[in-house]
Each structure stands twice: as structure tokens, then as C-alpha cells.
Amino acid sequence: MAGTTTTNAGAHHQQHHNRPSFDLTQFWQDEMTTTQTSVPNFRTHPLPLARIKKVMKTDPEVKMISAEAPILFAKACETFIAELTKRAWVHAEESKRRTLLRSDIAMGISKTDMCDFLIDIVPRMEATDASKVEFHF
């Protein structure tokens, strides 16, 4: 019986050790390395610069926008989306799913104060409700 306890404890420790996690420090180191070593292509962007510029102009105090500003905002948006996606992916993997759900994003948001500004768009309650959902197979 003692052997069984040890085996279960070892399996539990190994299971806990293999849980998906998000290494924020590694993420930012990778982002910095990529940014420093890649050659930017200013002609093509994954996010539409005209739309970013339009959003920037919604502030009545913004009169003029340099050509570089929307490019920097686009990169910041890409990085933000990547970090949030990685945070959400950890939750999906913990739930043994390979599909990101809105609740995974809500959980990713709820685990960092950085995303407090999204509270009206993705309420924390949705994240806590999603963690209480049980799946029956």
C-alpha cells in the first residue's frame, strides 16, 4: 500500500510538472531577439496601418501622425495578441483541448493585471464561470 502511495504521489508530481505553462520571461526574450535580428518589411503588415491610423485619430487631441507611429502601434498590437494567445493556449491545454475558446481568452485575461482594460469586453466573471464548467463524456 505504501508503494502505491509513492507511485501515485510520483505520478501526481510528474503530472503537475508536465502541466502547460506560459514562461513570460522567455516570451519577452524571444520577442526581443526576433525584433533585434529580423529585418522589418515596411511595405507589408499583418495589421492594416490605415485602420490603426484611423483609431489613433479618434482622439481629438491627435492632429498629425508620423509615418512611423502606426508601424510601431502595429508591432505593439502583434506582440499583445501573441502574448494573450499564448496565455489562452495554456488554459486550453490544461482543459485538454486543442481549440481556443472565448473562455480561454477570458482566463488568459483574468490571470494578468495588464489586461484590466479589457474587463468591459471580456468580463472576469466569464473566466471564472468557464473554470467551473464540467464536461461529461
Side-chain angles (χ1 to χ4, degrees):
M1 199 135 99
T4 305
T5 306
T6 305
T7 305
N8 287 343
H12 175 70
H13 174 70
Q14 185 178 12
Q15 217 174 21
H16 179 70
H17 182 69
N18 291 335
R19 283 181 61 193
S21 65
F22 176 58
D23 185 348
L24 188 60
T25 304
Q26 186 63 48
F27 171 80
W28 282 106
Q29 287 174 348
D30 293 346
E31 280 295 308
M32 291 298 292
T33 301
T34 301
T35 301
Q36 292 170 351
T37 59
S38 66
V39 177
N41 181 353
F42 295 111
R43 299 213 183 273
T44 61
H45 303 281
L47 298 174
L49 297 182
R51 174 64 109 187
I52 292 170
K53 194 172 181 178
K54 187 175 181 179
V55 170
M56 292 170 76
K57 285 188 170 186
T58 60
D59 185 334
E61 293 182 27
V62 173
K63 304 293 181 213
M64 305 259 310
I65 300 171
S66 71
E68 299 87 5
I71 295 169
L72 291 173
F73 272 97
K75 181 60 182 168
C77 289
E78 285 178 58
T79 304
F80 174 74
I81 291 166
E83 181 178 337
L84 187 53
T85 301
K86 288 181 188 292
R87 288 177 182 277
W89 184 248
V90 167
H91 186 261
E93 285 185 325
E94 285 174 349
S95 301
K96 296 181 176 34
R97 284 183 284 101
R98 299 197 48 83
T99 303
L100 280 180
L101 302 175
R102 179 182 169 105
S103 60
D104 299 321
I105 298 166
M107 285 300 292
I109 289 169
S110 72
K111 292 185 178 184
T112 176
D113 293 339
M114 175 188 74
C115 295
D116 282 349
F117 70 97
L118 294 172
I119 199 71
D120 294 332
I121 299 168
V122 184
R124 290 191 192 271
M125 188 173 81
E126 183 173 322
T128 56
D129 289 348
S131 66
K132 294 177 186 173
V133 173
E134 292 183 18
F135 295 97
H136 301 282
F137 297 99

